Each structure stands twice: as structure tokens, then as C-alpha cells.
Amino acid sequence: MKGCLLIHGYTGGPFEFDALASYLQKEGYRTLCPTLHGHGGPRKKLRYSSYEKWIESAEGAYLELLKECTDITIIGFSMGGLLTFHLAGKYKPRCIISMSTPIHCIDYKNLKEDLLHSVQTKNMKRLREYFFSCFTPMMANINFQILLHRSKGILPNIEVPTLILQGKKDSVVKSSSAQFIYDHIASSNKEIQFYELSNHLLHYSDERDLIYTDILRFIKQHS
């Protein structure tokens, strides 16, 4: 059976992948999206977590999915992309897909435009996200930075087929991150796609249908 492991982002949860998981399930894939350690509740829980525990959460889910599927694709969103690199270097899945994965963080131009647009359109959901991001525990942020630093060193060891997806309007991750990953990953079978109208949340963007099509095409090419 063919499966897809979906790894959510920092301070996020499996809900980030609900739509993509449903899309892949309709195409016949078994999907699994674990809740990373310290996530899935109040942000203050993250102070008791660590990057090692995030890696353990992702690895445990991969091994669980491996019991049912011999052909696995790993799809990581944001910090989930960093965790994907750790799994790919150790387990060599069929292929991996990196979505909005950080190497260089915060695009201040896009951040300013997104904040201004959220205020003008009274997008309270988006404004709340910015507000609550201020309450993420400092120790969790430090662990995120450690994970980011360690993940850069893994790229030269990854040889599995890799698809890198990045939105040009991303305020959280600079577009240069995608190019860095493409340039430093060892895989000879790699592809990079930029989406002009998309922000950090690629799977919720106006270009979602195109992005899902690109993801499915890549998975089918390598499974």
C-alpha cells in the first residue's frame, strides 16, 4: 500500500493538512499526520518540549505508517519540512515534499503587506494568529532555531527525489529558503516550484488546486 506521512508546522497541528490529506485519500493513498510533541494544546505546553522530541514524534509516526505501507512519501510543511529532512536522511523514503520550509526566516516586506491587508479587510483570524505568536515560549523558539541549524547540515546527505514548494508572498519564510534547499540537497532528482500568489499557508492559498496537482504528479512519478 502507498502512504503519505504529513508533518505539520511549528505551533500548528494536523488540521493544517486536513484538506490535502482528504485529497490524497481520494487518490488511494493512506495518510497519517501526527501531532508533534508539545503541540495540539495551549502554546505554553511547548516550553516542556524540545527539537529532539519533535523528531521522535515524526519518526514514531513514520515507523507506524511503515507497518502498513512499503511505499511512503513524506510531506513536511514549514518546520515539518525540517523534520522531513531528518527522516529522509535516516530512512530514505520513496520521495519527499518540502512546503514553505524555513532556512531564512521572516520576509519583512511580505509581513508588512500581510498585516496591512489583514487590518484593511478586518481578517480577525489572521490578526489573532499574529497576536498569539507573541506568546510562544522562548525555550521553544530556541529549540526551533537549533532544529533549523541542524537541518541545514543534513541536506548534503539526502539523495531521495525531492519537490520544493514555496509561495512568493510568504511573510514567515523568505523565498531564498527554497533556493537554498534546492542548491544544497544532494538529490539528483529534485524540483523547485514557486507560486506567485501564495503565502506561507500554501495548502490554503488561491493556488491550492495547482499546488495539489503538482504534489500528486510528483508522488506518482516516484511511487
Side-chain angles (χ1 to χ4, degrees), residues 83-110:
L83 298 173
T84 295
F85 299 152
H86 284 263
L87 295 182
K90 184 174 182 178
Y91 292 105
K92 296 178 175 55
R94 180 69 64 178
C95 62
I96 62 173
I97 298 174
S98 160
M99 301 177 67
S100 305
T101 301
I103 297 294
H104 309 129
C105 298
I106 310 300
D107 187 311
Y108 289 100
K109 178 178 179 294
N110 285 338

PDB file of all heavy atoms in Angstrom, residues 83-110:
ATOM      1  N   LEU A  83      11.832  18.524   9.761  1.00  0.00           N
ATOM      2  CA  LEU A  83      11.737  17.168  10.307  1.00  0.00           C
ATOM      3  C   LEU A  83      11.761  16.127   9.190  1.00  0.00           C
ATOM      4  O   LEU A  83      12.311  15.036   9.355  1.00  0.00           O
ATOM      5  CB  LEU A  83      10.454  17.036  11.137  1.00  0.00           C
ATOM      6  CG  LEU A  83      10.372  17.967  12.360  1.00  0.00           C
ATOM      7  CD1 LEU A  83       8.990  17.868  13.013  1.00  0.00           C
ATOM      8  CD2 LEU A  83      11.459  17.637  13.359  1.00  0.00           C
ATOM      9  N   THR A  84      11.180  16.492   8.053  1.00  0.00           N
ATOM     10  CA  THR A  84      11.212  15.609   6.883  1.00  0.00           C
ATOM     11  C   THR A  84      12.646  15.319   6.460  1.00  0.00           C
ATOM     12  O   THR A  84      12.983  14.181   6.108  1.00  0.00           O
ATOM     13  CB  THR A  84      10.444  16.247   5.716  1.00  0.00           C
ATOM     14  OG1 THR A  84       9.058  16.347   6.063  1.00  0.00           O
ATOM     15  CG2 THR A  84      10.578  15.429   4.434  1.00  0.00           C
ATOM     16  N   PHE A  85      13.506  16.326   6.509  1.00  0.00           N
ATOM     17  CA  PHE A  85      14.910  16.130   6.136  1.00  0.00           C
ATOM     18  C   PHE A  85      15.585  15.129   7.061  1.00  0.00           C
ATOM     19  O   PHE A  85      16.377  14.290   6.618  1.00  0.00           O
ATOM     20  CB  PHE A  85      15.664  17.466   6.173  1.00  0.00           C
ATOM     21  CG  PHE A  85      15.135  18.499   5.222  1.00  0.00           C
ATOM     22  CD1 PHE A  85      15.267  19.854   5.496  1.00  0.00           C
ATOM     23  CD2 PHE A  85      14.499  18.132   4.041  1.00  0.00           C
ATOM     24  CE1 PHE A  85      14.791  20.817   4.619  1.00  0.00           C
ATOM     25  CE2 PHE A  85      14.009  19.081   3.159  1.00  0.00           C
ATOM     26  CZ  PHE A  85      14.155  20.434   3.454  1.00  0.00           C
ATOM     27  N   HIS A  86      15.268  15.200   8.348  1.00  0.00           N
ATOM     28  CA  HIS A  86      15.870  14.257   9.298  1.00  0.00           C
ATOM     29  C   HIS A  86      15.432  12.822   8.989  1.00  0.00           C
ATOM     30  O   HIS A  86      16.255  11.899   9.011  1.00  0.00           O
ATOM     31  CB  HIS A  86      15.465  14.632  10.727  1.00  0.00           C
ATOM     32  CG  HIS A  86      16.206  15.807  11.271  1.00  0.00           C
ATOM     33  ND1 HIS A  86      17.313  15.693  12.081  1.00  0.00           N
ATOM     34  CD2 HIS A  86      16.011  17.147  11.099  1.00  0.00           C
ATOM     35  CE1 HIS A  86      17.776  16.888  12.388  1.00  0.00           C
ATOM     36  NE2 HIS A  86      16.992  17.789  11.818  1.00  0.00           N
ATOM     37  N   LEU A  87      14.155  12.629   8.686  1.00  0.00           N
ATOM     38  CA  LEU A  87      13.662  11.285   8.359  1.00  0.00           C
ATOM     39  C   LEU A  87      14.235  10.795   7.033  1.00  0.00           C
ATOM     40  O   LEU A  87      14.593   9.616   6.907  1.00  0.00           O
ATOM     41  CB  LEU A  87      12.137  11.298   8.293  1.00  0.00           C
ATOM     42  CG  LEU A  87      11.383  11.584   9.598  1.00  0.00           C
ATOM     43  CD1 LEU A  87       9.881  11.503   9.350  1.00  0.00           C
ATOM     44  CD2 LEU A  87      11.795  10.616  10.690  1.00  0.00           C
ATOM     45  N   ALA A  88      14.312  11.695   6.059  1.00  0.00           N
ATOM     46  CA  ALA A  88      14.811  11.302   4.731  1.00  0.00           C
ATOM     47  C   ALA A  88      16.268  10.869   4.792  1.00  0.00           C
ATOM     48  O   ALA A  88      16.682   9.935   4.096  1.00  0.00           O
ATOM     49  CB  ALA A  88      14.650  12.465   3.754  1.00  0.00           C
ATOM     50  N   GLY A  89      17.053  11.539   5.621  1.00  0.00           N
ATOM     51  CA  GLY A  89      18.458  11.184   5.750  1.00  0.00           C
ATOM     52  C   GLY A  89      18.662   9.829   6.413  1.00  0.00           C
ATOM     53  O   GLY A  89      19.642   9.133   6.149  1.00  0.00           O
ATOM     54  N   LYS A  90      17.697   9.438   7.261  1.00  0.00           N
ATOM     55  CA  LYS A  90      17.829   8.187   8.011  1.00  0.00           C
ATOM     56  C   LYS A  90      17.124   7.015   7.346  1.00  0.00           C
ATOM     57  O   LYS A  90      17.655   5.897   7.322  1.00  0.00           O
ATOM     58  CB  LYS A  90      17.264   8.387   9.424  1.00  0.00           C
ATOM     59  CG  LYS A  90      17.430   7.189  10.339  1.00  0.00           C
ATOM     60  CD  LYS A  90      16.989   7.520  11.755  1.00  0.00           C
ATOM     61  CE  LYS A  90      17.191   6.358  12.696  1.00  0.00           C
ATOM     62  NZ  LYS A  90      16.798   6.684  14.097  1.00  0.00           N
ATOM     63  N   TYR A  91      15.918   7.249   6.787  1.00  0.00           N
ATOM     64  CA  TYR A  91      15.092   6.137   6.310  1.00  0.00           C
ATOM     65  C   TYR A  91      14.974   6.030   4.793  1.00  0.00           C
ATOM     66  O   TYR A  91      14.500   5.019   4.289  1.00  0.00           O
ATOM     67  CB  TYR A  91      13.689   6.251   6.916  1.00  0.00           C
ATOM     68  CG  TYR A  91      13.680   6.004   8.401  1.00  0.00           C
ATOM     69  CD1 TYR A  91      13.547   7.066   9.290  1.00  0.00           C
ATOM     70  CD2 TYR A  91      13.807   4.724   8.923  1.00  0.00           C
ATOM     71  CE1 TYR A  91      13.540   6.855  10.665  1.00  0.00           C
ATOM     72  CE2 TYR A  91      13.807   4.495  10.296  1.00  0.00           C
ATOM     73  CZ  TYR A  91      13.671   5.569  11.151  1.00  0.00           C
ATOM     74  OH  TYR A  91      13.664   5.364  12.511  1.00  0.00           O
ATOM     75  N   LYS A  92      15.313   7.074   4.075  1.00  0.00           N
ATOM     76  CA  LYS A  92      15.250   7.058   2.614  1.00  0.00           C
ATOM     77  C   LYS A  92      13.873   6.636   2.084  1.00  0.00           C
ATOM     78  O   LYS A  92      13.718   5.568   1.477  1.00  0.00           O
ATOM     79  CB  LYS A  92      16.345   6.156   2.043  1.00  0.00           C
ATOM     80  CG  LYS A  92      17.749   6.675   2.353  1.00  0.00           C
ATOM     81  CD  LYS A  92      18.821   5.755   1.815  1.00  0.00           C
ATOM     82  CE  LYS A  92      20.202   6.363   2.021  1.00  0.00           C
ATOM     83  NZ  LYS A  92      20.480   6.723   3.439  1.00  0.00           N
ATOM     84  N   PRO A  93      12.860   7.456   2.297  1.00  0.00           N
ATOM     85  CA  PRO A  93      11.521   7.169   1.767  1.00  0.00           C
ATOM     86  C   PRO A  93      11.519   7.247   0.247  1.00  0.00           C
ATOM     87  O   PRO A  93      12.534   7.597  -0.373  1.00  0.00           O
ATOM     88  CB  PRO A  93      10.667   8.282   2.379  1.00  0.00           C
ATOM     89  CG  PRO A  93      11.635   9.407   2.581  1.00  0.00           C
ATOM     90  CD  PRO A  93      12.926   8.759   2.976  1.00  0.00           C
ATOM     91  N   ARG A  94      10.371   6.952  -0.362  1.00  0.00           N
ATOM     92  CA  ARG A  94      10.270   6.968  -1.819  1.00  0.00           C
ATOM     93  C   ARG A  94      10.588   8.356  -2.368  1.00  0.00           C
ATOM     94  O   ARG A  94      11.319   8.511  -3.334  1.00  0.00           O
ATOM     95  CB  ARG A  94       8.867   6.532  -2.244  1.00  0.00           C
ATOM     96  CG  ARG A  94       8.661   6.502  -3.735  1.00  0.00           C
ATOM     97  CD  ARG A  94       9.447   5.401  -4.393  1.00  0.00           C
ATOM     98  NE  ARG A  94       9.005   4.079  -3.966  1.00  0.00           N
ATOM     99  CZ  ARG A  94       9.509   2.942  -4.427  1.00  0.00           C
ATOM    100  NH1 ARG A  94      10.482   2.977  -5.309  1.00  0.00           N
ATOM    101  NH2 ARG A  94       9.054   1.784  -3.985  1.00  0.00           N
ATOM    102  N   CYS A  95      10.018   9.388  -1.740  1.00  0.00           N
ATOM    103  CA  CYS A  95      10.311  10.767  -2.121  1.00  0.00           C
ATOM    104  C   CYS A  95       9.859  11.678  -0.984  1.00  0.00           C
ATOM    105  O   CYS A  95       9.154  11.237  -0.070  1.00  0.00           O
ATOM    106  CB  CYS A  95       9.640  11.162  -3.441  1.00  0.00           C
ATOM    107  SG  CYS A  95       7.833  11.109  -3.425  1.00  0.00           S
ATOM    108  N   ILE A  96      10.274  12.946  -1.040  1.00  0.00           N
ATOM    109  CA  ILE A  96       9.862  13.902  -0.022  1.00  0.00           C
ATOM    110  C   ILE A  96       9.387  15.189  -0.688  1.00  0.00           C
ATOM    111  O   ILE A  96       9.793  15.517  -1.812  1.00  0.00           O
ATOM    112  CB  ILE A  96      10.988  14.233   0.986  1.00  0.00           C
ATOM    113  CG1 ILE A  96      12.184  14.890   0.278  1.00  0.00           C
ATOM    114  CG2 ILE A  96      11.407  12.994   1.737  1.00  0.00           C
ATOM    115  CD1 ILE A  96      13.263  15.388   1.240  1.00  0.00           C
ATOM    116  N   ILE A  97       8.506  15.913   0.018  1.00  0.00           N
ATOM    117  CA  ILE A  97       7.989  17.183  -0.482  1.00  0.00           C
ATOM    118  C   ILE A  97       8.117  18.212   0.640  1.00  0.00           C
ATOM    119  O   ILE A  97       7.614  18.019   1.747  1.00  0.00           O
ATOM    120  CB  ILE A  97       6.529  17.056  -0.934  1.00  0.00           C
ATOM    121  CG1 ILE A  97       6.430  16.045  -2.081  1.00  0.00           C
ATOM    122  CG2 ILE A  97       5.978  18.420  -1.364  1.00  0.00           C
ATOM    123  CD1 ILE A  97       5.013  15.726  -2.524  1.00  0.00           C
ATOM    124  N   SER A  98       8.804  19.292   0.334  1.00  0.00           N
ATOM    125  CA  SER A  98       9.061  20.368   1.286  1.00  0.00           C
ATOM    126  C   SER A  98       8.169  21.554   0.943  1.00  0.00           C
ATOM    127  O   SER A  98       8.259  22.108  -0.148  1.00  0.00           O
ATOM    128  CB  SER A  98      10.550  20.758   1.206  1.00  0.00           C
ATOM    129  OG  SER A  98      10.779  22.045   1.722  1.00  0.00           O
ATOM    130  N   MET A  99       7.304  21.953   1.898  1.00  0.00           N
ATOM    131  CA  MET A  99       6.369  23.055   1.674  1.00  0.00           C
ATOM    132  C   MET A  99       6.681  24.211   2.631  1.00  0.00           C
ATOM    133  O   MET A  99       6.616  24.042   3.850  1.00  0.00           O
ATOM    134  CB  MET A  99       4.930  22.583   1.897  1.00  0.00           C
ATOM    135  CG  MET A  99       4.487  21.432   1.018  1.00  0.00           C
ATOM    136  SD  MET A  99       2.793  20.861   1.414  1.00  0.00           S
ATOM    137  CE  MET A  99       1.824  22.292   0.920  1.00  0.00           C
ATOM    138  N   SER A 100       7.054  25.360   2.089  1.00  0.00           N
ATOM    139  CA  SER A 100       7.308  26.558   2.909  1.00  0.00           C
ATOM    140  C   SER A 100       8.291  26.261   4.037  1.00  0.00           C
ATOM    141  O   SER A 100       8.098  26.690   5.177  1.00  0.00           O
ATOM    142  CB  SER A 100       6.001  27.089   3.507  1.00  0.00           C
ATOM    143  OG  SER A 100       5.031  27.330   2.532  1.00  0.00           O
ATOM    144  N   THR A 101       9.347  25.531   3.730  1.00  0.00           N
ATOM    145  CA  THR A 101      10.303  25.126   4.759  1.00  0.00           C
ATOM    146  C   THR A 101      11.314  26.235   5.033  1.00  0.00           C
ATOM    147  O   THR A 101      11.931  26.748   4.107  1.00  0.00           O
ATOM    148  CB  THR A 101      11.029  23.846   4.337  1.00  0.00           C
ATOM    149  OG1 THR A 101      10.055  22.812   4.128  1.00  0.00           O
ATOM    150  CG2 THR A 101      12.019  23.396   5.396  1.00  0.00           C
ATOM    151  N   PRO A 102      11.492  26.610   6.300  1.00  0.00           N
ATOM    152  CA  PRO A 102      12.366  27.743   6.619  1.00  0.00           C
ATOM    153  C   PRO A 102      13.851  27.408   6.610  1.00  0.00           C
ATOM    154  O   PRO A 102      14.274  26.382   7.133  1.00  0.00           O
ATOM    155  CB  PRO A 102      11.917  28.123   8.032  1.00  0.00           C
ATOM    156  CG  PRO A 102      11.458  26.821   8.624  1.00  0.00           C
ATOM    157  CD  PRO A 102      10.817  26.071   7.484  1.00  0.00           C
ATOM    158  N   ILE A 103      14.601  28.277   6.003  1.00  0.00           N
ATOM    159  CA  ILE A 103      16.049  28.350   6.155  1.00  0.00           C
ATOM    160  C   ILE A 103      16.386  29.783   6.567  1.00  0.00           C
ATOM    161  O   ILE A 103      17.100  30.029   7.520  1.00  0.00           O
ATOM    162  CB  ILE A 103      16.798  27.980   4.864  1.00  0.00           C
ATOM    163  CG1 ILE A 103      16.518  26.519   4.470  1.00  0.00           C
ATOM    164  CG2 ILE A 103      18.305  28.209   5.035  1.00  0.00           C
ATOM    165  CD1 ILE A 103      17.053  25.482   5.437  1.00  0.00           C
ATOM    166  N   HIS A 104      15.792  30.725   5.822  1.00  0.00           N
ATOM    167  CA  HIS A 104      15.892  32.154   6.144  1.00  0.00           C
ATOM    168  C   HIS A 104      14.486  32.634   6.534  1.00  0.00           C
ATOM    169  O   HIS A 104      13.576  32.585   5.717  1.00  0.00           O
ATOM    170  CB  HIS A 104      16.414  32.941   4.941  1.00  0.00           C
ATOM    171  CG  HIS A 104      17.672  32.365   4.364  1.00  0.00           C
ATOM    172  ND1 HIS A 104      17.829  32.094   3.028  1.00  0.00           N
ATOM    173  CD2 HIS A 104      18.830  31.986   4.966  1.00  0.00           C
ATOM    174  CE1 HIS A 104      19.028  31.593   2.801  1.00  0.00           C
ATOM    175  NE2 HIS A 104      19.653  31.516   3.964  1.00  0.00           N
ATOM    176  N   CYS A 105      14.339  33.062   7.768  1.00  0.00           N
ATOM    177  CA  CYS A 105      13.008  33.377   8.292  1.00  0.00           C
ATOM    178  C   CYS A 105      12.657  34.861   8.200  1.00  0.00           C
ATOM    179  O   CYS A 105      13.533  35.718   8.219  1.00  0.00           O
ATOM    180  CB  CYS A 105      12.903  32.925   9.749  1.00  0.00           C
ATOM    181  SG  CYS A 105      13.110  31.153   9.985  1.00  0.00           S
ATOM    182  N   ILE A 106      11.379  35.112   8.128  1.00  0.00           N
ATOM    183  CA  ILE A 106      10.735  36.430   8.148  1.00  0.00           C
ATOM    184  C   ILE A 106      11.109  37.285   6.938  1.00  0.00           C
ATOM    185  O   ILE A 106      12.215  37.815   6.810  1.00  0.00           O
ATOM    186  CB  ILE A 106      11.028  37.217   9.440  1.00  0.00           C
ATOM    187  CG1 ILE A 106      10.753  36.364  10.671  1.00  0.00           C
ATOM    188  CG2 ILE A 106      10.190  38.481   9.467  1.00  0.00           C
ATOM    189  CD1 ILE A 106       9.338  35.877  10.803  1.00  0.00           C
ATOM    190  N   ASP A 107      10.148  37.419   6.051  1.00  0.00           N
ATOM    191  CA  ASP A 107      10.242  38.357   4.924  1.00  0.00           C
ATOM    192  C   ASP A 107       9.477  39.603   5.352  1.00  0.00           C
ATOM    193  O   ASP A 107       8.248  39.633   5.340  1.00  0.00           O
ATOM    194  CB  ASP A 107       9.623  37.738   3.666  1.00  0.00           C
ATOM    195  CG  ASP A 107       9.833  38.586   2.430  1.00  0.00           C
ATOM    196  OD1 ASP A 107       9.551  39.804   2.505  1.00  0.00           O
ATOM    197  OD2 ASP A 107      10.250  38.046   1.397  1.00  0.00           O
ATOM    198  N   TYR A 108      10.200  40.642   5.747  1.00  0.00           N
ATOM    199  CA  TYR A 108       9.564  41.809   6.363  1.00  0.00           C
ATOM    200  C   TYR A 108       8.688  42.585   5.381  1.00  0.00           C
ATOM    201  O   TYR A 108       7.682  43.185   5.779  1.00  0.00           O
ATOM    202  CB  TYR A 108      10.619  42.713   6.989  1.00  0.00           C
ATOM    203  CG  TYR A 108      11.225  42.099   8.228  1.00  0.00           C
ATOM    204  CD1 TYR A 108      12.468  41.453   8.178  1.00  0.00           C
ATOM    205  CD2 TYR A 108      10.546  42.119   9.438  1.00  0.00           C
ATOM    206  CE1 TYR A 108      13.006  40.861   9.314  1.00  0.00           C
ATOM    207  CE2 TYR A 108      11.078  41.518  10.577  1.00  0.00           C
ATOM    208  CZ  TYR A 108      12.305  40.893  10.510  1.00  0.00           C
ATOM    209  OH  TYR A 108      12.828  40.303  11.629  1.00  0.00           O
ATOM    210  N   LYS A 109       9.032  42.571   4.117  1.00  0.00           N
ATOM    211  CA  LYS A 109       8.193  43.241   3.113  1.00  0.00           C
ATOM    212  C   LYS A 109       6.837  42.548   3.037  1.00  0.00           C
ATOM    213  O   LYS A 109       5.777  43.188   3.083  1.00  0.00           O
ATOM    214  CB  LYS A 109       8.881  43.229   1.749  1.00  0.00           C
ATOM    215  CG  LYS A 109       8.058  43.862   0.626  1.00  0.00           C
ATOM    216  CD  LYS A 109       8.842  43.843  -0.680  1.00  0.00           C
ATOM    217  CE  LYS A 109       8.029  44.451  -1.811  1.00  0.00           C
ATOM    218  NZ  LYS A 109       6.833  43.633  -2.130  1.00  0.00           N
ATOM    219  N   ASN A 110       6.854  41.216   2.909  1.00  0.00           N
ATOM    220  CA  ASN A 110       5.601  40.461   2.855  1.00  0.00           C
ATOM    221  C   ASN A 110       4.843  40.529   4.176  1.00  0.00           C
ATOM    222  O   ASN A 110       3.603  40.552   4.197  1.00  0.00           O
ATOM    223  CB  ASN A 110       5.886  38.994   2.505  1.00  0.00           C
ATOM    224  CG  ASN A 110       6.222  38.794   1.037  1.00  0.00           C
ATOM    225  OD1 ASN A 110       5.875  39.625   0.199  1.00  0.00           O
ATOM    226  ND2 ASN A 110       6.904  37.716   0.717  1.00  0.00           N
TER     227      ASN A 110
END
